[in-house]
Amino acid sequence: MRAWAVGRPGPVDGGPLDPVERERPEPGPGQVRVRVSVCGVCRTDLHLAEGDLAPRRPGVVPGHEVVGRVDRVGPGCTLLAEGDRIGIPWLARTCGTCRFCLDGRENLCLDPRFTGWDVDGGYAEYAVVGERFAYPLPDGLSDVETAPLLCAGIIGFRALQRAELPPGGVLGIYGFGGSAHLTAQIALAEGATVHVMTRSREARDLALALGASSAQGADDPPPEPLDAAVLFAPVGTLVPPALQALDRGGTLAIAGIHLSDVPALDYQRHLFEERTLRSVTANTRADGVAFLERAAAIGIRVSAVPYPFAQADRALADLAHDRVDGAAVLVVEGG
Ligand SMILES: [Zn+2]
Ligand SMILES: [Zn+2]
């Protein structure tokens, strides 16, 4: 099969991805093999290709927003069958036995495996996945529109839960890219008032078009106190203004896997009156299932940009240089 592998991690313009020929993977016990239709291109793939994320396996195939159909079922599978349309996400496996797995917080598992980092992902014609970690996909969205939901969408959804927005509350969103524009739609559908803070004029226009009540500059104060806020921009200097924008008792959740340094906080202005600051780490399978159901139910709108499979390296370079207006998605089957 054709695939892309991380040859030598390094700057994206030096071409860290190599087109390779590999044997089709065979599904082991409890696994299924997927004929890949599309695979989303996530910023984490870029971190991996450039070596910001230390490689865990030489020549790994990246890609963890995989949509396709099951074409072979391994021994002992009971949940999926040939022909099922499924998604393969970032979380490839958890141990199932550590204290976090046992109490419903498998996102904090002490021995997890990740798709496209520990195990080969979806920049390939075929991929395998443990059937318990794959998501059956709702109808109604095309493969290209579905792919970005599998990472950007699920993480944003978890961040929204972590921000503990009360019903009908006021939500602030800092940064408005792939993950934020999906999260905003979930919050709006639940009756929230949404204010968006972002430096990009196009992003502010998109926010207003989706139903946000206001859109202003990245560290501008919102027009009213926030019950909850989510920081999507990986910019630590936004933490103080976001905390200051919270109402008493409000919560700020930081959605990113990376954040630049947070400046010194002023206890009185930023934290007193029971303001809370929280991080978000990966997601549980329950988050994924709940988000995909909600996304389908509200008819979520996804702004996706398809790339032919042969141009995975270009898709990654475009992402690095902010040349993608929406979520980049590799079209693998027939691409
Ligand atoms: Zn565990
Ligand atoms: Zn991702």
Side-chain angles (χ1 to χ4, degrees), residues 103-184:
D103 76 359
R105 293 184 292 166
E106 65 181 359
N107 61 305
L108 300 178
C109 177
L110 297 173
D111 188 21
R113 298 283 183 273
F114 298 106
T115 308
W117 193 18
D118 299 294
V119 301
D120 285 338
Y123 288 27
E125 290 177 299
Y126 293 87
V128 297
V129 60
E131 65 166 356
R132 293 184 305 112
F133 290 87
Y135 295 114
L137 294 174
D139 295 326
L141 283 173
S142 70
D143 290 353
V144 167
E145 292 170 305
T146 301
L149 302 181
L150 290 168
C151 179
I154 295 173
I155 293 292
F157 181 74
R158 181 169 181 90
L160 184 60
Q161 313 309 308
R162 294 277 293 160
E164 298 195 340
L165 178 68
V170 179
L171 174 71
I173 292 183
Y174 289 81
F176 204 74
S179 191
H181 93 285
L182 301 170
T183 308

Side-chain angles (χ1 to χ4, degrees), residues 46-322:
L46 187 60
H47 290 310
L48 185 77
E50 296 206 303
D52 305 330
L53 276 184
R56 293 208 191 161
R57 215 162 79 83
V60 73
V61 176
H64 55 271
E65 295 179 328
V66 189
V67 177
R69 285 191 187 275
V70 174
D71 92 313
R72 184 166 291 191
V73 176
C77 285
T78 56
L79 303 172
L80 296 175
E82 218 176 293
D84 286 353
R85 179 172 175 258
I86 64 169
I88 306 178
W90 174 236
L91 190 65
R93 195 181 75 91
T94 53
C95 77
T97 56
C98 75
R99 62 190 184 278
F100 298 103
C101 282
L102 291 176
D103 76 359
R105 293 184 292 166
E106 65 181 359
N107 61 305
L108 300 178
C109 177
L110 297 173
D111 188 21
R113 298 283 183 273
F114 298 106
T115 308
W117 193 18
D118 299 294
V119 301
D120 285 338
Y123 288 27
E125 290 177 299
Y126 293 87
V128 297
V129 60
E131 65 166 356
R132 293 184 305 112
F133 290 87
Y135 295 114
L137 294 174
D139 295 326
L141 283 173
S142 70
D143 290 353
V144 167
E145 292 170 305
T146 301
L149 302 181
L150 290 168
C151 179
I154 295 173
I155 293 292
F157 181 74
R158 181 169 181 90
L160 184 60
Q161 313 309 308
R162 294 277 293 160
E164 298 195 340
L165 178 68
V170 179
L171 174 71
I173 292 183
Y174 289 81
F176 204 74
S179 191
H181 93 285
L182 301 170
T183 308
Q185 294 177 63
I186 296 284
L188 287 162
E190 284 168 5
T193 298
V194 174
H195 299 293
V196 171
M197 277 58 72
T198 182
R199 62 180 179 183
S200 149
R201 171 163 296 281
E202 294 78 29
R204 290 201 289 268
D205 291 344
L206 175 61
L208 295 171
L210 289 172
S213 295
S214 79
Q216 43 267 306
D219 56 3
D220 288 345
E224 61 183 318
L226 307 172
D227 296 312
V230 180
L231 174 59
F232 286 101
V235 181
T237 53
L238 292 176
V239 170
L243 284 169
Q244 205 170 342
L246 291 176
D247 203 351
R248 304 168 161 238
T251 298
L252 170 64
I254 298 172
I257 193 169
H258 292 287
L259 187 72
S260 59
D261 286 351
V262 179
L265 298 177
D266 178 297
Y267 181 68
Q268 296 298 329
R269 271 192 301 159
H270 300 134
L271 291 168
F272 193 58
E273 293 165 336
E274 303 199 343
R275 292 176 178 86
T276 301
L277 176 61
R278 319 176 108 181
S279 68
V280 177
T281 298
N283 65 274
T284 66
R285 282 171 280 176
D287 294 327
V289 170
F291 168 69
L292 291 170
E293 270 173 17
R294 293 288 309 157
I298 69 169
I300 206 160
R301 287 160 59 192
V302 184
S303 135
V305 181
Y307 283 79
F309 183 56
Q311 294 181 13
D313 45 357
R314 187 168 71 83
L316 219 50
D318 284 355
L319 181 65
H321 297 297
D322 282 329

